[in-house]
């Protein structure tokens, strides 16, 4: 989830060439991180971590479960006690530590980008520029908020002095997805630490490596023990232990809507912990006849094919105004055919593998449904290569709204193009989903841009662009695409607990 | 909500009129689209006067089908292009102010009805409940056209801004302890932000909500903006919290039910959830406090409205050296009650709301006696009919007793002793609840550091009770999710949309 390459703001202004990925690198950190120390799992179990481009095992990592989560939560609770180093630290110092962490990530950018590309099947240049660049910018953004988190003094009725404190919520459980492992890790710990919370993080079981590496940098940066704890493991075990824990004050999750529901339920069954959810989507793009066509084709294309379609914001329903439909389809197909698939570390490769077999099977099944249900397969439509979870970039046209490919989240390199006639019709069709994460509108007309962006039920609406996500602007879902917002000043709300203090005084003056 | 600290809508108010004697209940049906409907099932349920146990009237009993109708109406009223969606924000504010005007016009009737149905002391109903309700509506009315999104200096050649849109159809489930206040505290911010609502009042106390519905119509709110479905929790309430087309649910009530509601939200459509739940709020009285001030506020803090307040100051920690004096004065204060018909001006304490509460409170009082607390006064029921309980004070209470751990929601005060600051902070925080707390001290540093240390959504210093529309209110931990009132209360009723527009050149 990053700005498209055309719109990127790289961390280094003169960025044009990037270094080659590291060749001789070792995975140093494979254990559970609690209190700035490395622990084996309570059970003794480990789990394998794979390279999805060749299906080979990279290494094994300690497998955390409930007992390990308990240890981590205890450590996080201890670090959160009144009077602790973390609680008594100046807010500006928290900011300084976050900036220090950003410095260290910049120092180790090449190694981390290499690991992320290999473990996550990410095209290396994207990992280096977008993922690592994004992480550093977001950390610095939240670092700079730390001493600007302000409560209010309030003109209450009566002879009182009343104010609010924006306190940290407490111990925050954070469950991270596999599509942007490092970026999502930073999206979560950035605001949480900025506001003074302590965290227990469970990275996705497919992609724990960059989170564990960052743990070593967190220790190096000087965060007190127990402030950040990382428990690698599986969802139904370690993840569930976090969302049901009676001593975790908040859980933040990015992943599927299906699991998001389980998490909110678990929060309601356990201790009413606060819940932030960033879930799936089936985001529409609406292309009007007056749009800049090449611009629209390009953004719509990147919007659904970036990172092999494995983005919550994937532009997976493209509504094109009738009069430009054929032209749009033709240019989109042309664009989709320009891919070299292969090893994501290879600079000539533009498309990597899907993350694992489960995703791979699900995507192929949905592609088959597209064929069966009568969509027109314009290109692609099947797997690629002898090993690794590769799928050809696929374009369907003449898609209608009741087809599975028009309703279900695919999370793969599959584009659906539909036709529309009128504005009211396309708004209705675009909103006809339980999802509501994002949307795109392509038009030169001022009134269309403003009124249609108002009408779409989506947390982010892009106009004449797509996938533009930056630390400053809030991000999150309407309806079943999520609860709450991340990034921007709004993201801080999710990590504060408001306390009102009202003091009786002898005389009140305004 | 201390009567001493009332915020009357008319500051010069000291005398109040007498309650109406011939009160007719006009509105007993389900309110949808500004019309009155019978229940789909044909069923009705009785509404009782808790001071006499007599039926006041029957009200239409809403269930799932009625909720479905109401949600459809609310969804329709929320459509893009509808009168409500295309209305100026300032006009929404004007309508809310008009509603407040009508409440002021009918204040005597509403206060009489609230007192009769809710067992409330009439003076409190008139001054506090009605006063606060009117103030809260006006406060939210004035926010309507000040709900501002941001323009944001995003990276790259873009213009980015946020819209603070209404969430949509909001389900609101109300308690019986402050029926009208709770309704207003939910409805006003929801409407201010442009939402439409489906309200389920408590089954014990639906009458003032239904009366208010008639004022909502009279004020000129478009049909479908406000809908009210009286009924029971497990039927109508559950239908709201599981509904696939309700965007948000807000609930005030017990923690036990709050858990069910959050679960239902997760199981259905991930609707947004605000919860205002129970508490076991501590007051800490230091030796340097103004003792009489502390005694009075602590007293009101737990006895107001027969102890039926979420913020009830039900654990009193008193510093050792002043403990005996504090207990003595508290007992003296607790004995000054005349119980009886809450409409009578000489009565200071009304009944508990119903038999279930009455039984629960008496059971907890018995546990206090059994577990070894010292019963200083009260401890028994009162009167031949109605759910009356004597004001009860326990001293020498220890932290593991049921009366020190469980929410009583009755006129029962627990007084404990403490030695050191660290000890009392730890004991005060040793609960899953976290709604409110009080600190009594003249010392500046104690006031600031102890209030920081307490895990409670509101900390009062040298006072207790008295929510005010300007300040946020809500629970830490299992006392709730989210905040009501103040500017913060608006956050609960908006959905943030980011719009990012590509431009050819960006200038700061």
């Amino acid at each position: 989830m990053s700005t498209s390459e055309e719109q990127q703001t790289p961390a280094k202004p003169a960025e044009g060439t990037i270094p080659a990925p590291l060749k001789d690198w070792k995975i140093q950190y494979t254990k559970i991180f609690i209190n700035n120390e490395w622990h084996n799992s309570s059970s003794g179990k480990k789990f394998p971590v794979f390279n999805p481009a060749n299906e080979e095992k990279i290494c094994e990592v300690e497998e955390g479960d409930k007992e390990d989560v308990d240890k981590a939560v205890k450590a996080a609770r201890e670090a959160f006690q009144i009077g602790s180093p973390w609680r008594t630290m100046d807010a500006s110092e928290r900011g300084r530590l976050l900036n220090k962490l950003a410095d260290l990530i910049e120092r180790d950018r090449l190694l981390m980008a290499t690991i992320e590309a290999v473990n996550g099947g990410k095209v290396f240049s994207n990992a280096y520029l977008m993922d690592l660049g994004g992480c550093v910018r977001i950390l610095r953004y939240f670092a700079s908020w730390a001493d600007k988190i302000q409560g209010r003094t309030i003109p209450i009725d009566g002879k009182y002095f009343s104010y609010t404190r924006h306190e940290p919520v407490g111990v925050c459980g954070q469950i991270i997805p596999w599509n942007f492992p490092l970026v999502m890790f930073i999206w979560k710990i950035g605001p949480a630490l900025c506001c003074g919370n302590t965290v227990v993080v469970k990275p996705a079981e497919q992609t724990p490596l960059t989170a564990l590496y960052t743990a070593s940098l967190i220790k190096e940066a000087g965060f007190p023990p127990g402030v950040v704890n990382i428990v690698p493991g599986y969802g139904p075990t370690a993840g569930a232990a976090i969302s049901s824990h009676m001593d975790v004050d908040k859980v933040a999750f990015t992943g599927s809507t299906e699991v998001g529901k389980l998490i909110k339920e678990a929060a309601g069954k356990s201790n009413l912990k606060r819940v932030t959810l960033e879930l799936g989507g089936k985001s529409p793009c609406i292309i009007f006849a007056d749009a800049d066509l090449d611009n629209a084709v390009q953004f719509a294309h990147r919007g659904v094919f970036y990172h092999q379609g494995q983005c919550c914001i994937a532009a997976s329903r493209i509504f094109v105004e009738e009069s430009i439909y054929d032209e749009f389809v033709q240019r989109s197909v042309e664009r989709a055919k320009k891919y070299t698939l292969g090893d994501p570390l290879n600079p000539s490769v533009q498309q990597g593998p899907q993350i694992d077999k489960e995703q791979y099977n699900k995507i192929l099944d949905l592609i088959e449904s597209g064929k069966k249900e009568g969509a027109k397969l314009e290109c692609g439509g099947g797997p690629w290569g002898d090993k690794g979870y590769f799928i050809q970039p696929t374009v369907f046209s003449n898609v209608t709204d009741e087809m599975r490919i028009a309703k279900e989240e695919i999370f793969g390199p599959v584009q659906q193009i539909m036709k529309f006639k009128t504005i009211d019709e396309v708004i209705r069709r675009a909103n006809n989903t339980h999802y509501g994460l994002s949307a795109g509108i392509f038009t030169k007309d001022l009134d269309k841009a403003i009124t249609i962006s108002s009408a779409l039920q989506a947390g982010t609406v892009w106009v004449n662009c797509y996938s533009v996500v930056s630390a400053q602007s809030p991000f999150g879902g309407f309806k079943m695409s999520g609860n709450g917002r991340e990034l921007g000043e709004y993201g801080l709300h999710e990590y504060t607990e408001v306390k009102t203090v009202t003091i009786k005084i002898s005389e009140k003056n305004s």
Side-chain angles (χ1 to χ4, degrees), chain A:
Chain A
M1 234 163 312
S2 323
T3 57
S4 74
E5 273 167 14
E6 288 80 2
Q7 305 302 332
Q8 85 201 46
T9 40
K12 287 190 170 121
E15 200 92 67
T17 57
I18 59 170
L22 287 179
K23 289 207 171 48
D24 288 315
W25 49 276
K26 283 188 177 43
I27 300 296
Q28 277 181 273
Y29 305 105
T30 60
K31 296 196 180 200
I32 295 169
F33 184 74
I34 297 176
N35 271 329
N36 284 2
E37 297 163 343
W38 298 100
H39 295 250
N40 290 330
S41 64
S42 298
S43 65
K45 295 208 286 185
K46 297 190 220 279
F47 66 99
V49 178
F50 294 98
N51 175 343
N54 56 27
E55 300 175 46
E56 285 167 15
K57 184 167 83 175
I58 300 170
C59 64
E60 283 184 340
V61 166
E62 295 294 320
E63 185 185 333
D65 203 325
K66 189 180 180 312
E67 294 75 16
D68 308 283
V69 167
D70 285 342
K71 279 167 68 179
V73 170
K74 273 199 182 65
R77 177 63 61 199
E78 190 65 33
F80 191 71
Q81 288 309 310
I82 294 278
S84 69
W86 188 238
R87 291 302 293 280
T88 52
M89 187 183 286
D90 285 336
S92 59
E93 179 65 14
R94 295 200 301 263
R96 204 194 63 75
L97 284 174
L98 286 168
N99 264 317
K100 179 71 183 166
L101 178 60
D103 293 342
L104 296 175
I105 291 177
E106 278 182 320
R107 180 193 70 190
D108 297 348
R109 185 175 187 173
L110 185 54
L111 173 67
M112 295 176 79
T114 304
I115 298 176
E116 194 81 323
V118 171
N119 188 194
K122 273 182 193 294
V123 171
F124 176 77
S125 58
N126 289 343
Y128 188 86
L129 290 170
M130 307 307 308
D131 294 63
L132 267 295
C135 285
V136 169
R137 279 194 292 280
I138 286 166
L139 265 176
R140 295 206 191 283
Y141 176 82
F142 282 109
S144 59
W145 263 119
D147 60 353
K148 299 166 193 67
I149 291 164
Q150 300 181 131
R152 307 277 185 273
T153 59
I154 297 174
I156 191 176
D157 289 342
K159 292 188 203 166
Y160 305 99
F161 169 55
S162 187
Y163 60 92
T164 54
R165 278 172 43 89
H166 287 200
E167 304 192 347
V169 177
V171 174
C172 300
Q174 305 189 313
I175 303 174
I176 315 291
W178 48 258
N179 56 346
F180 293 89
L182 192 60
V183 171
M184 290 293 103
F185 177 67
I186 297 298
W187 273 40
K188 302 247 180 297
I189 69 168
L193 301 180
C194 162
C195 295
N197 298 279
T198 59
V199 303
V200 174
V201 179
K202 189 202 90 58
E205 57 271 23
Q206 297 92 335
T207 52
L209 303 181
T210 42
L212 293 176
Y213 187 86
T214 309
S216 73
L217 301 183
I218 284 164
K219 177 174 179 173
E220 186 181 345
F223 284 87
V227 170
V228 176
N229 307 276
I230 304 185
V231 183
Y234 291 87
T237 49
I242 287 173
S243 45
S244 327
H245 207 287
M246 292 301 290
D247 200 31
V248 165
D249 301 298
K250 175 200 172 73
V251 63
F253 168 78
T254 295
S256 70
T257 292
E258 181 194 335
V259 175
K261 291 174 73 177
L262 296 176
I263 289 184
K264 188 160 180 163
E265 212 186 314
K269 277 199 182 127
S270 55
N271 68 341
L272 292 172
K273 56 177 61 67
R274 291 90 178 94
V275 177
T276 299
L277 303 170
E278 299 278 359
L279 309 176
K282 194 65 185 176
S283 300
C285 273
I286 302 174
I287 323 278
F288 287 96
D290 70 3
D292 171 338
L293 195 60
D294 279 334
N295 183 67
V297 166
Q298 182 67 336
F299 273 109
H301 172 84
R302 297 273 311 180
V304 76
F305 286 102
Y306 187 75
H307 192 34
Q308 293 83 266
Q310 299 168 131
C311 300
C312 50
I313 55 169
S316 50
R317 291 183 294 152
I318 318 256
F319 295 95
V320 183
E321 196 165 1
E322 217 176 19
S323 56
I324 53 159
Y325 179 80
D326 291 335
E327 182 68 16
F328 186 92
V329 170
Q330 193 223 321
R331 294 190 198 194
S332 297
V333 171
E334 209 173 290
R335 180 64 186 85
K337 287 179 167 170
K338 287 188 180 149
Y339 279 82
T340 304
L341 281 71
D343 175 3
L345 290 182
N346 188 327
S348 55
V349 163
Q350 293 111 18
Q351 181 180 325
Q354 309 310 126
I355 190 62
D356 60 18
K357 195 159 191 73
E358 186 184 325
Q359 287 294 316
Y360 172 86
N361 285 340
K362 173 184 157 194
I363 298 160
L364 290 175
D365 173 63
L366 277 154
I367 289 175
E368 286 310 304
S369 80
K371 296 172 187 172
K372 278 205 194 74
E373 291 177 348
K376 182 175 179 205
L377 181 68
E378 297 277 356
C379 67
W384 177 93
D386 314 310
K387 60 181 171 132
Y389 309 112
F390 292 88
I391 294 177
Q392 300 170 34
T394 299
V395 178
F396 282 108
S397 64
N398 292 346
V399 176
T400 55
D401 295 1
E402 344 74 42
M403 293 177 183
R404 284 184 64 204
I405 53 173
K407 294 198 297 191
E408 296 175 38
E409 188 176 39
I410 302 175
F411 235 63
V414 189
Q415 184 178 49
Q416 286 60 240
I417 313 184
M418 295 89 134
K419 198 181 294 189
F420 78 90
K421 283 192 165 78
T422 73
I423 291 182
D424 284 347
E425 166 212 341
V426 75
I427 288 173
R428 199 178 34 79
R429 289 168 67 192
N431 284 339
N432 185 25
T433 166
H434 279 302
Y435 290 117
L437 191 55
S438 55
I441 301 172
F442 293 83
T443 178
K444 288 183 181 145
D445 185 77
L446 175 66
D447 193 72
K448 271 205 200 102
I450 296 174
T451 57
I452 296 175
S453 57
S454 284
L456 292 172
Q457 292 161 359
T460 301
V461 181
W462 288 292
V463 178
N464 295 327
C465 57
Y466 202 85
S467 311
V468 177
V469 176
S470 196
Q472 300 86 13
S473 292
F475 179 88
F478 276 42
K479 305 196 286 192
M480 292 181 76
S481 282
N483 286 175
R485 294 293 177 269
E486 292 187 314
L487 302 183
E489 182 179 0
Y490 299 78
L492 302 175
H493 298 163
E494 309 286 336
Y495 285 98
T496 61
E497 188 78 34
V498 175
K499 171 185 283 174
T500 298
V501 180
T502 297
I503 302 178
K504 179 163 165 283
I505 49 180
S506 54
E507 183 177 286
K508 173 187 78 186
N509 287 275
S510 62

